[in-house]
Amino acid sequence: MFLVLIYYEFCGIIMSQLIIHNVSGGNFMTIDQIKVLISDDSVFARKKLKDYILSLGVAEVLEANDGQEAIDLYKENKPDVVFMDIIMPKKTGIEAVTEILAFDSKAKVVMASSVGTQKYLKDAITAGAYEFLQKPIDNNLVQKILQNIVKEG
């Protein structure tokens, strides 16, 4: 993997864009090409995370309000990363991550849990979660995760 910094002139102004090149796959990816799925039964939590992710320049953010909807949206849209609450109706986050990974073993699912549900951390890791975040979610950690997704291509 290597970084490419492109300089170009636009309307007399020198512009630059950072592109990360994944040597193994030959893919170029920038943050504005990432597709994100947020699954949480709390409308407020989804909106807060969605607004922050969009502020980083991500072009597309999908939303699910339960585990089953997250599975269905993942299969239809194959997002680059999923941020998923653990405690949700219909199917829990643990059930959803298990089913998503059965469909796509390379899926990156970031599990999120409140303080009272920390006991689910082991279950999330065992199920194959890419990362685990404690609620309230720290925006800096979200940004780092998205930067890693870009680097991985």
Side-chain angles (χ1 to χ4, degrees):
M1 175 181 348
F2 61 89
L3 303 176
V4 177
L5 186 57
I6 299 173
Y7 289 97
Y8 56 95
E9 186 175 337
F10 178 74
C11 295
I13 300 170
I14 301 296
M15 307 290 286
S16 67
Q17 181 174 12
L18 180 65
I19 297 176
I20 297 172
H21 179 64
N22 182 344
V23 176
S24 62
N27 298 327
F28 287 94
M29 181 183 274
T30 57
I31 198 157
D32 63 332
Q33 296 170 316
I34 293 177
K35 188 184 303 184
V36 175
L37 169 60
I38 300 169
S39 182
D40 197 313
D41 57 324
S42 165
V43 175
F44 175 74
R46 285 197 319 266
K47 179 174 177 13
K48 184 178 176 195
L49 184 55
K50 179 181 181 178
D51 288 349
Y52 178 69
I53 289 172
L54 288 172
S55 78
L56 295 174
V58 171
E60 187 173 1
V61 178
L62 306 164
E63 295 182 62
N65 60 19
D66 62 62
Q68 184 59 56
E69 187 178 9
I71 294 164
D72 296 340
L73 283 172
Y74 187 90
K75 290 179 177 180
E76 291 170 24
N77 298 280
K78 205 147 183 244
D80 299 292
V81 63
V82 179
F83 290 90
M84 187 171 321
D85 188 20
I86 289 181
I87 306 300
M88 293 185 293
K90 294 187 183 175
K91 287 195 178 179
T92 67
I94 302 297
E95 293 168 320
V97 71
T98 302
E99 199 167 321
I100 287 170
L101 287 169
F103 172 77
D104 178 6
S105 63
K106 295 181 181 179
K108 293 176 177 67
V109 182
V110 177
M111 303 301 292
S113 177
S114 303
V115 174
T117 58
Q118 181 72 20
K119 64 183 179 182
Y120 294 109
L121 171 60
K122 183 180 178 211
D123 294 337
I125 300 301
T126 302
Y130 176 76
E131 187 67 69
F132 185 87
L133 297 175
Q134 188 72 42
K135 286 183 172 182
I137 295 174
D138 180 343
N139 287 343
N140 292 326
L141 295 175
V142 171
Q143 184 175 15
K144 286 178 185 176
I145 289 168
L146 292 175
Q147 287 169 340
N148 287 339
I149 300 296
V150 169
K151 287 178 188 175
E152 293 169 11

